[in-house]
Amino acid sequence: MPWKEKGFCVLVELVELQSFVGTQREMADRITRLTGCGFDGFDNVCIRADLLTEREKLLMWQHHRGEPGTIGESGRLLVRESTEDDAGVLREIYQDERCGQFLEPLLPESVLEETHGGSQEAYAQYLRMYRKYQYPFYGYGIWSVVEKGSGRTVGWAGLTWETHEEEGLHLGYALLPEFWGRGLAREACLLILEFVREQELADRVYIRVQKDNLRSVRLAEALRKGSPVEVVVVICGADLNDGND
């Protein structure tokens, strides 16, 4: 890709992928076959370049410059794409019993065992791969929540496509316990729901919460009432991907 070598931000349009269904790895393999170089030769890929929004163009430019893309910003928070520098916070959340009891494992048990209980490097590797394959094509994912005043990453929040009975985009969130009770999770989730509306990602977003996770139940109900898009709250008993306010 000589244009990228000259400093240009390069977008590849692959209309062949409009009907593709598969995993992230299968998607990456398909892109490699179609382009002959995989993701390494360009900045982003889309299936309809004429449908790109201004936000998506900004995200592409930030990717080109090696910066994490900005999803939303409020007075207290910045929601941005995650980087390997966030691995320590991600590991801390998943290993904290107060958070972990309401979260599905992020990494397979075999990986955690190989890294002596889940080293920070294992989470960093996950984030490197996630940043390379998730954000550039799908345009959404799990993002880092940063407190602007301190510059600290305080947790994550974001969107996943789930195929439960409620198939569609699902909103999840989890903050470090020391930041609970300050309304930060609600603030971050509203930024994400506004991103959903702005990008026309979906007309409806689901939040699945465990009935025993009372903080998250209250947060989900508050989001349902104040969201710029329709939010459906599903109260379940177990096996959820959700966190804490």
Side-chain angles (χ1 to χ4, degrees):
M1 291 285 181
W3 289 109
K4 186 172 182 180
E5 294 174 3
K6 294 178 181 180
F8 287 87
C9 180
V10 180
L11 169 70
V12 173
E13 182 182 60
L14 296 176
V15 295
E16 296 91 339
L17 297 179
Q18 289 185 12
S19 59
F20 177 84
V21 177
T23 66
Q24 293 180 28
R25 176 57 64 181
E26 291 168 341
M27 173 68 76
D29 291 342
R30 176 71 66 84
I31 289 172
T32 297
R33 290 197 297 271
L34 290 172
T35 64
C37 63
F39 276 100
D40 294 331
F42 49 87
D43 295 285
N44 214 316
V45 59
C46 71
I47 58 176
R48 284 284 303 274
D50 60 312
L51 298 180
L52 289 175
T53 66
E54 293 304 312
R55 168 78 69 174
E56 288 168 323
K57 293 174 184 177
L58 172 61
L59 287 171
M60 283 195 301
W61 179 245
Q62 289 178 309
H63 295 162
H64 175 71
R65 293 173 57 88
E67 303 169 356
T70 300
I71 304 306
E73 187 172 358
S74 65
R76 295 190 295 175
L77 296 178
L78 174 70
V79 178
R80 60 158 174 78
E81 294 173 347
S82 299
T83 73
E84 61 187 271
D85 293 334
D86 301 311
V89 172
L90 197 65
R91 177 175 180 262
E92 186 176 349
I93 286 174
Y94 276 89
Q95 293 192 342
D96 189 295
E97 290 185 1
R98 291 165 291 180
C99 301
Q101 64 177 316
F102 299 117
L103 295 169
E104 292 180 351
L106 181 66
L107 299 174
E109 194 64 35
S110 59
V111 172
L112 297 178
E113 291 175 355
E114 290 172 2
T115 57
H116 306 289
S119 72
Q120 185 167 318
E121 176 54 32
Y123 287 89
Q125 176 62 20
Y126 173 86
L127 289 176
R128 282 193 289 269
M129 295 297 291
Y130 195 87
R131 187 179 182 190
K132 182 175 182 179
Y133 293 115
Q134 176 72 23
Y135 300 139
F137 182 80
Y138 290 96
Y140 65 84
I142 298 300
W143 299 296
S144 292
V145 179
V146 179
E147 186 181 48
K148 290 168 63 176
S150 64
R152 289 186 60 187
T153 299
V154 301
W156 62 257
L159 304 165
T160 56
W161 184 270
E162 303 289 346
T163 55
H164 303 289
E165 293 182 6
E166 312 84 26
E167 181 173 358
L169 282 180
H170 285 242
L171 176 64
Y173 37 83
L175 300 187
L176 293 168
E178 63 187 280
F179 293 96
W180 294 359
R182 295 167 51 184
L184 296 177
R186 180 177 183 274
E187 198 168 315
C189 288
L190 286 174
L191 288 173
I192 290 170
L193 291 168
E194 177 59 30
F195 180 82
V196 171
R197 185 201 64 78
E198 177 189 299
Q199 297 298 105
E200 298 182 347
L201 295 179
D203 296 325
R204 175 183 299 163
V205 174
Y206 295 93
I207 303 177
R208 301 181 79 238
V209 294
Q210 292 192 42
K211 61 182 180 181
D212 295 333
N213 190 353
L214 299 182
R215 285 180 177 272
S216 207
V217 169
R218 290 195 296 269
L219 172 56
E221 288 296 334
L223 292 171
R224 182 179 63 82
K225 296 175 182 178
S227 172
V229 298
E230 181 183 0
V231 168
V232 176
V233 178
V234 182
I235 308 296
C236 301
D239 299 326
L240 301 175
N241 180 17
D242 192 69
N244 302 275
D245 185 11

